[in-house]
C-alpha cells in the first residue's frame, strides 16, 4: 500500500478530516462535522474551543472507522497536517487546559471601537501605519485587536496573564497543543502563515516583533513559538492515530495555494468558503499593495527553506451569504437550493446585494459599511434575491482581481478556483461572465486539505510526499468560459460599485445602548 497522509481542515463553518494517498494525491476517505457559530450580540461571532476539538476528534475517529471498512490499515497514515480558519483568536489556561473565553472568530466586529482608537493614535490617523512590518491594515479582521479586547474585557484572561498561565493561539495552535498532549507537554506553536495574520509578526524578520507587541500592549511570552509550515512539531498523544507526527501547518488560504500547486511566482487561486480569498504567489520577496490588498506569508516549506509571500484579496462574506439566506431568512432550505432558485430566473432583475455584514474587506477596508440590498421593485422575488447573492460573490471577486492585476502589472488570463461553493455550477459560470475570463475548477475541490497534507508528507523526517515539480500529480479540471459580452458585464459591475458606495459609512460609532442586550 502507498503511504497515506491525513489533514485536519478546521474551517469557520465545519471541521473535516481527510486522508490522501501520498503518491497519487487521491482522496481516500474523509468525514465532516458542522460547527456552531454563536452571535451573542450584533456583530459578534464566537465559537466554542471545546466543540472545535470535539469535532476534530470525531472526524478523526469516524474517518479511521471508514478506512477500516475499506480494509485500509490506519498505520499507513504516516503524518497529519493541520489547516485552519485564520485570525480566529483563543486564550487558554496552560495548567488546566481550559479555554478562558470562546474563540473570537475572524469575522467578529466587536473590536471596531478598539480599531478606531488605535487608528486615531497613529500619525495622520493612518490605518496602514503598521503595514511596512505586518503587510496588513489595522482592522477588526486580525488577531491582535481581538486579543487586546480579551485582555481589556475578560477578567479570567487578565488573571491568567498575571499569574503566567495564559496561552494565546490561533486555531492551529489550539489544535496542535491539544493533540500533542495539552497540559501534559502539549506543543505551543504556530506556523509563519498563521503568525503573519496576527499583526504581531514582522514579515521581514519572520518573528514576533517586540515593538508591535508594545503597540498592542500584548505580553510576548503568551505567544506560541513560530515554526515553518512543514516540519515535525510533535506527535499525536491519544486517539487511533497515537504516535503519528503532526508535521504540516498552514492557514487555510495558504494551504489552498499549496494544494492548487501555485509554487511559481505569479500563480494565483481563489477560494470560495465562508469568505472569499484570492492569493497570488509573489515569490521570496514581500510585495506591498497600492490597491487595498494584503501582503502575507504564503508558506515556508521547511526550517531551512526560504519563506514565500503572497498578495491577498480578502472578502469577508461569500458562502456566509447563503447560510444567512438559509438560517436567518428561511429563503432557502439547503445551501444547494440557492442554485436551483437562482437558475429559475437567470437574472437578479436589477437587484444588487452588498453583503457587508462585517464591514467591507478588500479593497476598501471599511469597517463602518453594512449590508444593503438595492434596486428592489414589486417584481423582485426570492429567486432574484438568490441570484443577486451569487452575483455578489462574483462582483466581490472581480474587485479583488482588478486590484491584483493593477498591483502586479501582469493580468491573470484565467482564474483557478476551489472551495465548497465551487460545486455551484451557476456560480462558476456567473464568475466567468463577470470576470470576462475562463474559470478553472479542479474536480477534487478539497485543495485546502490537500495543501496541508502535502506540507505534512514533505516534512523532513516524514519524507513520503515529493514537492518537486516533476512529481506533482496531474490535476483534472473543468473550465467555464465566459458566455456574455463584456459590455453587459461592465454595466452590471458599474451598478454593483454604485451599490457598494451606498453601503458605506453606516455604522460609524459604537452601537448605542438602546436595546436590552447591549446594556452592560
Amino acid at each position: 500500500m502507498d503511504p497515506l497522509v491525513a489533514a485536519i481542515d478546521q474551517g469557520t463553518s465545519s471541521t473535516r478530516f481527510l486522508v490522501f494517498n501520498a503518491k497519487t494525491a487521491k482522496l481516500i476517505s474523509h468525514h465532516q462535522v458542522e460547527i456552531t457559530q454563536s452571535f451573542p450580540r450584533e456583530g459578534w461571532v464566537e465559537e466554542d474551543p471545546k466543540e472545535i476539538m470535539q469535532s476534530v476528534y470525531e472526524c478523526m475517529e469516524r474517518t479511521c472507522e471508514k478506512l477500516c471498512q475499506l480494509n485500509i490499515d490506519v498505520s499507513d497514515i504516516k503524518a497529519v497536517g493541520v489547516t485552519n480558519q485564520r485570525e480566529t483568536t483563543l486564550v487558554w489556561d496552560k495548567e488546566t487546559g481550559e479555554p478562558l473565553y470562546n474563540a473570537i472568530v475572524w469575522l467578529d466586529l466587536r473590536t471596531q471601537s478598539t480599531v478606531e482608537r488605535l487608528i486615531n493614535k497613529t500619525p495622520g490617523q493612518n490605518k496602514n501605519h503598521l503595514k511596512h512590518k505586518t503587510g496588513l491594515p489595522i482592522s477588526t479582521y486580525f488577531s491582535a485587536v481581538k486579543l487586546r479586547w480579551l485582555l481589556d474585557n475578560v477578567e479570567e484572561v487578565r488573571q491568567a496573564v498575571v499569574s503566567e498561565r495564559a496561552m494565546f493561539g490561533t486555531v492551529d495552535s489550539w489544535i496542535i497543543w491539544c493533540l500533542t498532549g495539552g497540559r501534559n507537554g502539549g506543543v505551543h506553536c504556530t506556523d509563519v502563515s498563521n503568525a503573519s495574520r496576527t499583526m504581531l509578526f514582522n514579515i521581514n524578520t519572520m518573528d514576533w516583533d517586540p515593538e508591535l507587541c508594545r503597540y498592542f500592549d500584548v505580553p510576548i511570552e503568551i505567544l506560541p513559538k513560530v515554526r515553518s509550515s512543514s516540519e515535525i512539531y510533535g506527535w499525536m498523544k491519544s486517539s487511533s492515530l497515537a504516535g503519528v507526527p503532526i508535521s504540516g501547518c498552514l492557514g487555510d488560504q495558504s494551504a489552498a495555494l499549496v494544494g492548487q500547486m501555485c509554487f511559481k511566482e505569479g500563480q494565483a487561486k481563489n477560494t470560495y468558503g465562508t469568505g472569499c480569498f484570492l492569493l497570488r504567489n509573489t515569490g521570496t520577496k514581500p510585495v506591498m499593495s497600492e490597491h487595498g490588498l494584503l501582503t502575507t506569508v504564503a508558506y515556508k516549506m521547511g526550517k531551512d527553506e526560504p519563506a514565500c509571500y503572497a498578495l491577498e484579496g480578502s472578502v469577508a462574506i461569500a458562502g456566509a451569504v447563503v447560510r444567512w439566506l438559509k438560517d436567518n431568512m428561511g429563503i432557502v432550505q439547503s445551501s444547494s437550493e440557492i442554485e436551483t432558485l437562482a437558475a429559475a430566473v437567470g437574472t437578479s432583475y436589477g437587484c444588487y446585494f452588498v453583503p457587508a455584514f462585517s464591514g467591507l474587506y478588500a479593497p476598501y477596508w471599511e469597517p463602518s459599511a453594512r449590508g444593503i440590498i438595492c434596486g428592489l421593485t414589486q417584481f423582485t422575488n426570492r429567486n432574484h434575491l438568490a441570484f443577486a447573492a451569487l452575483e455578489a460573490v462574483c462582483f466581490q471577486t472581480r474587485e479583488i482581481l482588478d486590484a491584483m492585476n493593477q498591483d502586479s502589472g501582469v493580468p491573470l488570463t484565467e482564474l483557478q478556483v476551489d472551495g465548497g461553493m465551487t460545486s455551484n455550477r451557476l456560480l462558476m459560470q456567473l464568475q466567468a461572465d463577470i470576470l470576462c475570463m475562463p474559470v478553472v475548477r479542479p474536480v477534487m475541490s478539497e485543495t485546502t486539505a490537500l495543501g496541508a497534507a502535502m506540507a505534512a508528507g514533505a516534512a523532513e523526517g516524514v519524507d513520503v510526499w515529493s514537492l518537486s515539480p516533476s512529481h506533482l500529480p496531474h490535476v483534472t479540471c473543468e473550465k467555464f468560459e465566459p458566455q456574455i459580452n463584456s459590455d453587459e458585464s461592465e454595466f452590471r459591475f458599474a451598478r454593483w460599485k454604485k451599490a457598494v458606495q451606498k453601503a458605506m459609512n453606516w455604522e460609524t460609532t459604537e452601537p448605542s445602548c438602546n436595546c436590552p442586550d447591549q446594556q452592560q
Side-chain angles (χ1 to χ4, degrees):
M1 179 70 191
D2 287 340
L4 306 178
V5 178
I8 295 162
D9 180 354
Q10 205 300 300
T12 316
S13 56
S14 72
T15 301
R16 293 195 278 286
F17 187 74
L18 305 94
V19 177
F20 297 93
N21 179 316
K23 295 286 172 267
T24 62
K26 183 171 172 278
L27 177 60
I28 306 295
S29 185
H30 66 102
H31 190 76
Q32 176 168 355
V33 172
E34 280 218 349
I35 293 286
T36 314
Q37 293 177 28
S38 58
F39 308 98
R41 297 193 193 175
E42 190 195 0
W44 292 30
V45 190
E46 296 180 0
E47 292 179 352
D48 176 356
K50 292 172 114 169
E51 184 193 340
I52 288 175
M53 278 319 297
Q54 219 31 66
S55 70
V56 169
Y57 287 120
E58 186 181 340
C59 287
M60 290 197 304
E61 295 308 321
R62 288 290 101 79
T63 307
C64 289
E65 287 166 15
K66 291 176 185 180
L67 289 174
C68 293
Q69 286 161 8
L70 294 167
N71 286 327
I72 292 169
D73 196 336
V74 174
S75 67
D76 289 330
I77 297 175
K78 301 305 177 196
V80 175
V82 174
T83 179
N84 56 290
Q85 50 170 319
R86 303 170 305 169
E87 300 95 15
T88 295
T89 300
L90 298 94
V91 179
W92 64 94
D93 183 319
K94 65 179 172 198
E95 286 170 19
T96 64
E98 291 293 309
L100 296 170
Y101 195 76
N102 274 342
I104 300 184
V105 177
W106 56 277
L107 282 165
D108 185 278
L109 283 184
R110 77 188 64 189
T111 54
Q112 192 177 331
S113 56
T114 312
V115 166
E116 285 170 12
R117 193 174 73 242
L118 288 166
I119 292 172
N120 287 338
K121 78 172 195 188
T122 66
Q125 299 182 346
N126 175 12
K127 66 178 165 224
N128 290 320
H129 179 60
L130 305 172
K131 200 171 168 184
H132 63 290
K133 283 190 169 192
T134 62
L136 313 170
I138 301 170
S139 157
T140 57
Y141 181 20
F142 307 109
S143 315
V145 287
K146 302 179 195 299
L147 178 53
R148 183 68 258 144
W149 187 92
L150 287 167
L151 293 164
D152 288 340
N153 294 281
V154 182
E155 188 54 37
E156 290 82 352
V157 172
R158 248 200 312 266
Q159 288 295 321
V161 169
V162 171
S163 56
E164 298 182 357
R165 289 176 293 118
M167 282 184 163
F168 156 81
T170 41
V171 172
D172 55 308
S173 302
W174 169 240
I175 291 174
I176 292 171
W177 187 79
C178 291
L179 292 178
T180 53
R183 59 187 183 159
N184 302 313
V187 177
H188 189 215
C189 69
T190 186
D191 91 298
V192 292
S193 70
N194 278 298
S196 76
R197 313 297 293 189
T198 59
M199 291 204 96
L200 301 169
F201 183 79
N202 184 320
I203 62 173
N204 306 300
T205 65
M206 297 298 285
D207 208 348
W208 302 123
D209 188 294
E211 199 182 302
L212 289 170
C213 289
R214 275 198 299 277
Y215 184 85
F216 289 103
D217 195 16
V218 163
I220 203 161
E221 49 281 357
I222 72 171
L223 306 180
K225 186 173 165 39
V226 183
R227 314 272 289 265
S228 77
S229 314
S230 177
E231 58 176 275
I232 295 175
Y233 312 110
W235 287 264
M236 291 278 211
K237 277 288 181 291
S238 57
S239 84
S240 314
L241 297 175
V244 177
I246 301 175
S247 52
C249 179
L250 287 158
D252 53 8
Q253 302 314 321
S254 286
L257 195 72
V258 170
Q260 286 263 31
M261 326 280 169
C262 296
F263 292 120
K264 291 199 198 75
E265 194 177 328
Q267 289 183 301
K269 65 88 208 172
N270 195 34
T271 301
Y272 300 77
T274 297
C276 199
F277 301 88
L278 176 65
L279 270 74
R280 182 175 188 141
N281 188 328
T282 62
T284 52
K285 289 198 177 60
V287 175
M288 290 296 162
S289 169
E290 300 295 315
H291 299 93
L293 303 178
L294 309 176
T295 303
T296 202
V297 180
Y299 52 80
K300 179 175 157 67
M301 284 305 190
K303 275 183 214 180
D304 305 320
E305 294 296 313
C308 280
Y309 296 86
L311 272 176
E312 170 174 320
S314 329
V315 168
I317 304 289
V321 75
V322 182
R323 199 165 176 166
W324 181 82
L325 287 173
K326 174 167 79 76
D327 296 347
N328 297 33
M329 293 311 193
I331 283 175
V332 292
Q333 263 54 65
S334 68
S335 296
S336 52
E337 194 194 342
I338 193 165
E339 185 171 3
T340 320
L341 273 185
V345 284
T347 171
S348 66
Y349 215 83
C351 168
Y352 289 81
F353 186 169
V354 182
F357 301 158
S358 293
L360 285 165
Y361 283 15
Y364 302 101
W365 298 105
E366 194 45 79
S368 64
R370 289 294 179 272
I372 188 170
I373 301 171
C374 317
L376 297 172
T377 66
Q378 280 173 308
F379 185 75
T380 314
N381 62 31
R382 67 189 192 131
N383 300 68
H384 301 121
L385 209 53
F387 197 95
L390 294 182
E391 269 190 325
V393 175
C394 301
F395 287 134
Q396 291 184 103
T397 297
R398 163 92 192 252
E399 289 191 302
I400 52 179
L401 188 76
D402 284 358
M404 191 76 77
N405 286 340
Q406 286 173 299
D407 270 327
S408 72
V410 186
L412 288 174
T413 52
E414 58 177 36
L415 185 64
Q416 279 178 251
V417 301
D418 58 82
M421 278 191 101
T422 59
S423 61
N424 184 323
R425 299 183 65 86
L426 175 61
L427 179 74
M428 295 295 92
Q429 186 55 55
L430 267 178
Q431 188 67 84
D433 289 347
I434 286 166
L435 296 178
C436 308
M437 72 166 71
V439 167
V440 183
R441 173 184 78 180
V443 171
M444 202 288 291
S445 67
E446 298 285 0
T447 49
T448 301
L450 176 61
M454 288 164 68
E460 191 182 334
V462 178
D463 307 305
V464 296
W465 202 307
S466 168
L467 299 183
S468 74
S470 58
H471 283 108
L472 291 178
H474 174 70
V475 181
T476 343
C477 292
E478 184 174 3
K479 199 180 245 194
F480 295 83
E481 300 280 357
Q483 291 176 354
I484 63 173
N485 69 40
S486 58
D487 292 352
E488 187 192 338
S489 179
E490 292 305 324
F491 172 77
R492 278 157 60 180
F493 186 52
R495 265 303 184 60
W496 158 263
K497 294 197 96 149
K498 196 169 154 186
V500 167
Q501 289 309 313
K502 295 193 184 302
M504 297 279 201
N505 300 316
W506 186 261
E507 193 68 64
T508 41
T509 54
E510 280 203 86
S512 57
C513 290
N514 58 357
C515 57
D517 69 358
Q518 280 177 349
Q519 281 165 358
Q520 295 291 322

